[in-house]
Amino acid sequence: MKRFGDFLVNSPAALLLGGTTVVLLVLFLIPGLHPIAWIIGLLAVVVLAGVLVLWFLEWRRTQDRIDQLNARLAKAHAAIGGVSLSPVAEDEPSADTVRAERIRELFPTGSGLVQELRVESGFSPLPTALVAPLREFLDEFSHASFENPASHFAFMDLYRAGTALTEWLDSQTQDTAGKLEMAPGDVREGGWRGFAEAREAGQRRIDAFLSTRQAFERTALENDVLG
């Protein structure tokens, strides 16, 4: 029905029939033309018959055109072969997860720098090789950020704590046979008192680094950044 209605709206025959109907109605309403009303009626029948013939021809021509277009469309679809979607790995990790996993790789809790700092009470001679991941972390993540806000804030706390610890190591320790050691009080400006103050400052930075490392992993787990 919709197709037929569209056909009538766009059909010249329908327009001709509508115009003729209006003209004949006007003629029928004129009193002086009543004696020849039969002629007007005959004319209306002729016009109606002609309109019906035109409608039939237009309908056949339109349907043939539609059938041709449908056939061409089906042929084009067959040539294209349909649209296929590329498979997407549902378990592909997010950028936040990749970064968090990298941090956990650099600072594992059961080995390396974190374990060494936890075991020792206060700063003790530290193997130089254990500090390499800390320097790598600061270099690799100097411009990094996390999309998850809570994880980003925890990461920034960890980064600042790592920076502060590295600055302390660079200023207060020296490499002796593969270990970072603090200069003793007898060769240090400020003597042993200066040594004790520097050692306490170092311990505070160690504690801050360990606590922010733990807080970052906990935050990442709570926000599904880490599994």
Side-chain angles (χ1 to χ4, degrees):
M1 290 299 296
K2 182 179 184 301
R3 178 183 291 186
F4 184 68
D6 293 339
F7 168 73
L8 291 179
V9 170
N10 296 281
S11 173
L15 180 62
L16 175 61
L17 177 61
T20 304
T21 301
V22 172
V23 172
L24 292 177
L25 285 176
V26 172
L27 293 177
F28 271 117
L29 292 176
I30 299 175
L33 297 179
H34 287 172
I36 58 172
W38 66 274
I39 298 177
I40 297 174
L42 181 61
L43 181 61
V45 172
V46 173
V47 171
L48 178 59
V51 167
L52 291 176
V53 173
L54 289 176
W55 265 349
F56 177 75
L57 295 177
E58 287 182 15
W59 176 258
R60 288 293 302 274
R61 185 168 57 252
T62 301
Q63 294 308 306
D64 290 342
R65 180 59 177 168
I66 291 174
D67 292 339
Q68 292 176 5
L69 292 175
N70 286 335
R72 291 172 60 184
L73 182 61
K75 186 177 180 180
H77 274 298
I80 294 174
V83 178
S84 60
L85 298 178
S86 301
V88 178
E90 296 181 358
D91 57 349
E92 183 177 351
S94 66
D96 279 2
T97 299
V98 172
R99 297 186 187 98
E101 290 285 1
R102 175 58 176 159
I103 292 174
R104 189 156 62 177
E105 177 186 345
L106 289 170
F107 305 123
T109 57
S111 61
L113 180 63
V114 173
Q115 183 186 43
E116 183 74 16
L117 294 177
R118 281 177 174 173
V119 170
E120 298 296 336
S121 177
F123 180 78
S124 299
L126 184 66
T128 306
L130 295 182
V131 183
L134 177 58
R135 301 186 189 279
E136 186 175 356
F137 164 70
L138 296 178
D139 181 65
E140 184 176 335
F141 287 82
S142 59
H143 301 291
S145 62
F146 284 73
E147 295 182 5
N148 178 260
S151 297
H152 180 70
F153 293 141
F155 159 73
M156 291 304 299
D157 289 341
L158 174 61
Y159 192 87
R160 284 189 288 265
T163 301
L165 177 57
T166 302
E167 291 174 350
W168 182 85
L169 291 172
D170 291 341
S171 63
Q172 297 296 332
T173 66
Q174 56 189 6
D175 190 346
T176 304
K179 287 190 175 183
L180 297 178
E181 297 181 348
M182 293 182 63
D186 52 7
V187 296
R188 176 188 292 270
E189 184 178 354
W192 287 101
R193 181 175 181 177
F195 176 86
E197 291 175 352
R199 185 184 176 94
E200 290 178 2
Q203 186 59 46
R204 288 194 298 270
R205 299 191 183 197
I206 289 173
D207 292 341
F209 173 74
L210 292 176
S211 62
T212 54
R213 162 64 181 84
Q214 182 180 9
F216 170 76
E217 183 166 352
R218 182 177 63 253
T219 301
L221 289 170
E222 290 174 351
N223 289 272
D224 295 327
V225 174
L226 282 173

